[in-house]
Amino acid sequence: RVNKLVNGRILEKRIHVRIEHIRKSKCQKEIIARVKSNELAKKAAREGGPQVDLKRSAKKPKEGYFLKAAGGDGEITTIQPLPFSDLL
């Protein structure tokens, strides 16, 4: 059964699928693996290891870098806009 939002209300729809086309959901595998690793880390910390941070954290931004110039001379050039000229 599938829930579908129709005009502000949720209707329960039935879908008919052959058993060969059904596969088990894998959406909980990452959560279960994280819980197991957190439990092991907590156990190691209780036994005298270093304190661990079990919270999920966002990805860090990429490290900055300088792009090599196409000419290869290594000199920095400043580009200025052209002065405005009226075409009329």
Side-chain angles (χ1 to χ4, degrees):
R1 296 180 187 216
V2 178
N3 292 330
K4 180 179 180 183
L5 184 67
V6 179
N7 294 334
R9 57 193 176 169
I10 296 176
L11 297 179
E12 188 179 81
K13 295 183 72 173
R14 293 182 183 187
I15 59 171
H16 303 282
V17 181
R18 287 183 63 122
I19 195 71
E20 305 92 64
H21 302 291
I22 296 175
R23 62 175 176 255
K24 191 169 179 173
S25 174
K26 299 176 186 174
C27 63
Q28 290 285 314
K29 281 190 174 184
E30 181 183 330
I31 295 170
I32 293 169
R34 194 177 76 243
V35 167
K36 285 181 182 178
S37 66
N38 284 353
E39 292 300 322
L40 290 173
K42 280 196 284 188
K43 186 177 180 183
R46 274 192 224 112
E47 292 172 354
Q51 185 177 1
V52 290
D53 183 24
L54 301 176
K55 293 183 178 180
R56 291 181 289 168
S57 59
K59 284 185 185 175
K60 304 285 185 207
K62 289 184 179 178
E63 196 68 34
Y65 62 95
F66 288 101
L67 196 61
K68 297 285 185 188
D73 57 359
E75 188 174 318
I76 298 174
T77 57
T78 305
I79 301 172
Q80 296 292 330
L82 295 172
F84 177 76
S85 62
D86 195 9
L87 297 175
L88 294 177

